[in-house]
Amino acid sequence: MSSNFYERDVQPFADLPCGVFANNVENYFIVKAIRLQYLAMDAIDLFRNYEGRYASSNIEHLYAFHYVRLARVTLRTQGKSAQCAGHSGHSLNIVFIPLNISRTPKENRQKKNSLKHPPSPPIISGYMEGQIIPAGSVQKLLCVSSGGNPLATLTWYKNDKRINSVIRTADKSVSAEITILANVTDNQAQYRCEAANSATEIPLFESTTLSVHFAPETVKIRIEPEELKPGIEATIICDSSSSNPPAKLSWWKDGIPIQGINNTSKPGLWGGTVSTLEFKVNITQEMNGIVYTCQSANEALQRNRPKFVPPPSSTAVGVENESLMVALQANANPISIIYTWSKDGQSIADGNNELEHRIFSDGPKLNFTKLHRNDAGVYVCEARNSQGSASINVTVVVEYGTNIKSVSENVIVNPGEDAMLSCTVEGKPLNEEHVKWERLGYDMTIKTSSTFANGTSYLHIKDSQREDVGNFRCIADNRVANPTIAPEIDKSPTLLRAASGTGERGRLPCRAQASPRPKFVWRQEGKDLPVNRTYKYEVEEKKVDSLTYESILIIEKVAPADYGAYECLAKNELGHAVETVRLDITSQPDSPLSLNILNVTHDSVTVAWTPGFDGGLKASYRVRYREANREQYKYIDSLPNSHKLTITGLKMNTLYLFSVMAYNDLGESKYLPDLQKAHTKDF
């Protein structure tokens, strides 16, 4: 079958080119609708009016952006020439764009994919406005733009002056990174990243303004009047050059501080502040040769050796065969700090070593990829800069499951004598409550007692008799060595939904029980998400308890395309589990899942409820109640962050009905049915 292609301006649509269609020929057009409220859908309806004349019509949306929508229209004629009827619908600006050569379906798809559209606005990471950068330190800024056809060209500017950057291109995004050696000119300097392609008329951009601390370069002293004579009053003025933060000036006489006056400041160069301090003195002959000194103090000038931020605990606890990271932090000026780790005087290699180490350091962090019980001990971290060093000790405790090393066998005593059985156990932690004795069908509370010392539990049996003869079993469990469990994901409604406003940060939870620890994978539409590899997706993981782990998918600057279903996969060597977690736009909350009566007195009832999905916003709760034989409700709000409420002032010996609802800033849920009843007691 052959094809014809046409170019014709048609306005209104009633001017459809009549008589131009050949028999049994496909005629291709592209329809462009300019008015947003009609778009190509009206063009579709218009073409359908001709289905009486043409055997078939096929309309495919090609592209939609802002106020323009395109659709490709295929009309196939049948029979002789057609007569075009007018159309009484909307008047549209429709342009028939020629396709001058015949295309295969594959070529048409390529034409569809070649349509140009702008990229997403760029996003700058690596610096948070207001964060202080000391002069002389290195600061990196990363600009990322995704989407667009073609991909964006990224350009960095410092105060409108173009600067070079390192460009990296991925499948659907492009990034540009700059490295800044901070100096005085960077204080209050605006760094701007622009993204543009052939579909953008004006570049898209994002900017950030740096805050740099720098010291004053000079301190100068002025004297008024310039010529000093006995009997006059002189003003001695100290001026400090621009600095950020402002310099603190002080006057000294022969090493002794003296009081200054008129401490003033004014804006200086590079967004800094010029400080001034003066004092007045009556000149005498005896003052000849006296030395007055002006001193300028500034945080950026104060050099100091490292000082560790006190950690939450001096002990780090891990579990055998699992990973552990010990993270410390030290502050200093200059901020360039070299960290070294050691144990028992032996240095621990850093992560840049070519050899693979199970224990390695990464600056102020010490990593154990797989703990052994002999890793326990005291580790020393030393932090050093040009001003000196500091060190701190961290004790690593490795917990491991219990193991029975030996038990007493064939203990023989005479009737009436006391018997003692022993059970020696190893494990960490290990104390008396981790070891117990049992015997089926035997009452252990009558004649037996136990003691514990040095890893051994002793069972004492008083006044042994024939009926005491038998096997006693020693059981050791410190709840560290967990049973092996294939992953099972928590299907609680509040854990399978999340909500976020457009432009905000989305957080999707996924909680699973497993042993060994599961690995989490997040997917969308069957494809693994590039978590922790781009600015868009990050994952936070934590251990909730000995068997429960949680992975939280973080989506930065949520866009409309980000809403929908995501898959959470939890897997270990025993199996895997998959659940769908939805991200929706913020909304009013769902009703609580259930309501229960906890306690009843003569004049009060305590109720508790299980929250439903909060709609992505902080939810509050309201309880309503009434007497069973009355229709009038009373209402009471719960305390913030509480899922329990005690209603007081009730009548004695009266039946009440209770219900609860949730509300947030966007609305409220329905009340649960009045199914929960409580009958107050007699006094």
Side-chain angles (χ1 to χ4, degrees):
M1 179 179 291
S2 62
S3 301
N4 289 339
F5 302 90
Y6 299 99
E7 177 181 14
R8 177 156 181 166
D9 292 340
V10 181
Q11 184 178 5
F13 193 80
D15 291 335
L16 188 72
C18 301
V20 298
F21 304 113
N23 293 333
N24 298 315
V25 171
E26 288 188 347
N27 302 276
Y28 294 94
F29 302 93
I30 290 182
V31 180
K32 179 179 179 182
I34 306 256
R35 283 156 60 177
L36 177 64
Q37 63 267 42
Y38 303 138
L39 297 174
M41 289 306 298
D42 282 0
I44 293 172
D45 292 337
L46 295 173
F47 271 99
R48 284 175 180 158
N49 285 348
Y50 294 90
E51 289 189 5
R53 262 172 289 280
Y54 303 113
S56 64
S57 64
N58 176 37
I59 300 173
E60 178 184 357
H61 291 278
L62 291 183
Y63 175 62
F65 180 75
H66 291 302
Y67 294 96
V68 177
R69 177 165 298 189
L70 301 178
R72 183 173 62 223
V73 180
T74 304
L75 297 177
R76 187 189 310 161
T77 61
Q78 208 178 50
K80 304 258 180 172
S81 63
Q83 295 182 2
C84 299
H87 180 70
S88 59
H90 303 296
S91 174
L92 299 177
N93 296 323
I94 298 178
V95 179
F96 287 81
I97 302 173
L99 305 175
N100 294 322
I101 59 173
S102 179
R103 293 188 176 89
T104 65
K106 179 178 180 181
E107 290 173 327
N108 285 332
R109 287 195 299 271
Q110 291 173 345
K111 176 68 176 178
K112 169 182 176 180
N113 294 332
S114 69
L115 290 169
K116 298 178 180 179
H117 57 279
S120 64
I123 295 176
I124 296 176
S125 61
Y127 177 77
M128 182 178 297
E129 288 205 0
Q131 174 185 337
I132 300 302
I133 306 172
S137 61
V138 175
Q139 176 67 49
K140 292 188 176 183
L141 298 179
L142 181 67
C143 176
V144 179
S145 177
S146 59
N149 189 17
L151 288 176
T153 298
L154 299 181
T155 308
W156 275 100
Y157 295 87
K158 176 185 177 180
N159 293 334
D160 296 327
K161 181 180 180 181
R162 183 170 179 171
I163 56 178
N164 294 328
S165 61
V166 178
I167 304 295
R168 297 181 179 88
T169 302
D171 182 28
K172 296 182 179 180
S173 65
V174 61
S175 66
E177 186 177 52
I178 57 175
T179 301
I180 304 165
L181 181 60
N183 58 61
V184 294
T185 67
D186 292 306
N187 187 46
Q188 300 306 307
Q190 184 189 73
Y191 281 82
R192 184 176 78 254
C193 178
E194 292 187 355
N197 67 4
S198 53
T200 57
E201 295 182 5
I202 299 175
L204 305 170
F205 71 91
E206 184 177 12
S207 62
T208 187
T209 302
L210 304 188
S211 295
V212 176
H213 275 188
F214 58 93
E217 293 184 356
T218 60
V219 175
K220 296 182 178 180
I221 295 178
R222 297 181 286 120
I223 303 176
E224 295 178 356
E226 293 183 0
E227 184 178 353
L228 299 180
K229 296 179 180 180
I232 68 171
E233 182 184 62
T235 302
I236 318 297
I237 305 165
C238 178
D239 296 315
S240 175
S241 62
S242 182
S243 66
N244 183 33
K248 297 179 181 178
L249 302 179
S250 58
W251 278 104
W252 302 72
K253 175 185 176 183
D254 291 333
I256 300 174
I258 62 175
Q259 185 68 37
I261 61 173
N262 296 334
N263 190 357
T264 60
S265 61
K266 62 181 179 180
L269 295 175
W270 315 118
T273 302
V274 174
S275 300
T276 300
L277 181 65
E278 62 185 54
F279 74 94
K280 297 181 181 295
V281 62
N282 292 318
I283 303 299
T284 64
Q285 187 68 38
E286 291 76 17
M287 295 178 65
N288 187 41
I290 293 178
V291 176
Y292 288 92
T293 304
C294 177
Q295 178 177 309
S296 173
N298 183 279
E299 292 179 10
L301 278 174
Q302 295 173 359
R303 304 274 175 163
N304 56 277
R305 68 177 187 173
K307 182 179 180 181
F308 280 98
V309 177
S313 173
S314 61
T315 301
V317 180
V319 178
E320 188 174 40
N321 295 324
E322 294 190 5
S323 61
L324 176 68
M325 183 179 72
V326 180
L328 301 175
Q329 180 184 350
N331 297 322
N333 188 17
I335 62 173
S336 178
I337 303 174
I338 298 175
Y339 295 89
T340 56
W341 287 85
S342 63
K343 179 191 179 190
D344 299 331
Q346 299 294 317
S347 296
I348 296 173
D350 60 42
N352 296 322
N353 195 295
E354 293 182 359
L355 299 176
E356 182 178 350
H357 292 276
R358 187 176 54 80
I359 307 174
F360 64 90
S361 63
D362 180 13
K365 299 177 182 178
L366 182 63
N367 294 280
F368 299 81
T369 59
K370 189 176 183 180
L371 278 170
H372 292 175
R373 61 186 65 180
N374 56 6
D375 293 334
V378 177
Y379 291 78
V380 180
C381 179
E382 182 185 43
R384 181 180 296 274
N385 72 353
S386 59
Q387 302 302 302
S389 65
S391 62
I392 189 172
N393 294 346
V394 177
T395 301
V396 172
V397 176
V398 181
E399 296 184 342
Y400 50 91
T402 52
N403 177 47
I404 297 177
K405 299 175 64 176
S406 64
V407 292
S408 55
E409 296 183 2
N410 300 325
V411 176
I412 300 175
V413 296
N414 295 319
E417 295 180 346
D418 292 346
M420 185 177 70
L421 307 179
S422 65
C423 177
T424 302
V425 180
E426 65 176 358
K428 187 74 174 182
L430 185 63
N431 54 46
E432 184 175 5
E433 68 178 16
H434 297 140
V435 184
K436 67 177 183 178
W437 295 84
E438 69 175 22
R439 175 177 165 182
L440 294 177
Y442 186 90
D443 190 346
M444 301 289 293
T445 62
I446 298 176
K447 299 176 64 176
T448 65
S449 62
S450 63
T451 57
F452 182 86
N454 300 323
T456 299
S457 176
Y458 300 94
L459 178 67
H460 305 274
I461 306 169
K462 295 182 179 180
D463 187 22
S464 300
Q465 302 296 331
R466 176 178 291 275
E467 59 270 19
D468 300 320
V469 174
N471 293 322
F472 291 83
R473 183 168 61 173
C474 172
I475 301 174
D477 181 14
N478 63 357
R479 293 174 288 279
V480 172
N482 295 315
T484 54
I485 301 174
E488 183 177 350
I489 295 178
D490 192 334
K491 300 179 181 61
S492 301
T494 54
L495 292 176
L496 296 181
R497 291 179 64 187
S500 173
T502 302
E504 297 177 354
R505 170 183 282 190
R507 297 175 63 90
L508 283 71
C510 181
R511 185 175 293 183
Q513 282 195 335
S515 182
R517 184 176 188 142
K519 178 182 179 182
F520 290 92
V521 177
W522 285 92
R523 296 172 175 168
Q524 187 181 32
E525 296 179 352
K527 296 181 180 179
D528 292 359
L529 294 175
V531 296
N532 298 333
R533 299 201 299 272
T534 69
Y535 80 95
K536 185 68 175 178
Y537 303 105
E538 293 181 10
V539 164
E540 291 180 358
E541 292 190 2
K542 66 178 180 179
K543 186 176 182 179
V544 179
D545 57 39
S546 59
L547 287 177
T548 307
Y549 302 85
E550 185 173 76
S551 174
I552 298 177
L553 174 64
I554 300 173
I555 304 176
E556 295 290 349
K557 295 191 175 181
V558 172
D562 295 324
Y563 293 114
Y566 293 78
E567 281 187 345
C568 173
L569 168 68
K571 61 181 179 180
N572 63 13
E573 53 262 41
L574 299 176
H576 69 276
V578 180
E579 281 297 332
T580 298
V581 184
R582 287 195 58 83
L583 177 64
D584 297 317
I585 195 166
T586 48
S587 63
Q588 72 249 30
D590 290 348
S591 300
L593 301 177
S594 62
L595 177 67
N596 297 296
I597 306 296
L598 296 186
N599 187 48
V600 181
T601 69
H602 69 284
D603 66 348
S604 70
V605 173
T606 301
V607 297
W609 54 90
T610 303
F613 180 57
D614 60 9
L617 299 171
K618 184 178 180 181
S620 301
Y621 300 90
R622 180 173 297 139
V623 174
R624 73 178 185 186
Y625 62 98
R626 63 183 175 90
E627 296 177 29
N629 59 357
R630 300 187 64 179
E631 296 297 327
Q632 185 177 0
Y633 286 101
K634 292 184 178 180
Y635 301 86
I636 183 170
D637 289 344
S638 68
L639 294 174
N641 303 317
S642 177
H643 302 144
K644 183 172 69 172
L645 180 66
T646 298
I647 300 104
T648 59
L650 303 180
K651 296 180 181 178
M652 292 185 298
N653 194 26
T654 303
L655 180 63
Y656 285 89
L657 305 180
F658 297 88
S659 182
V660 65
M661 58 86 83
Y663 62 93
N664 63 19
D665 291 342
L666 294 181
E668 57 187 37
S669 73
K670 295 180 179 179
Y671 279 94
L672 291 178
D674 294 341
L675 299 179
Q676 287 300 326
K677 305 176 182 179
H679 200 290
T680 53
K681 300 178 181 180
D682 289 332
F683 184 73

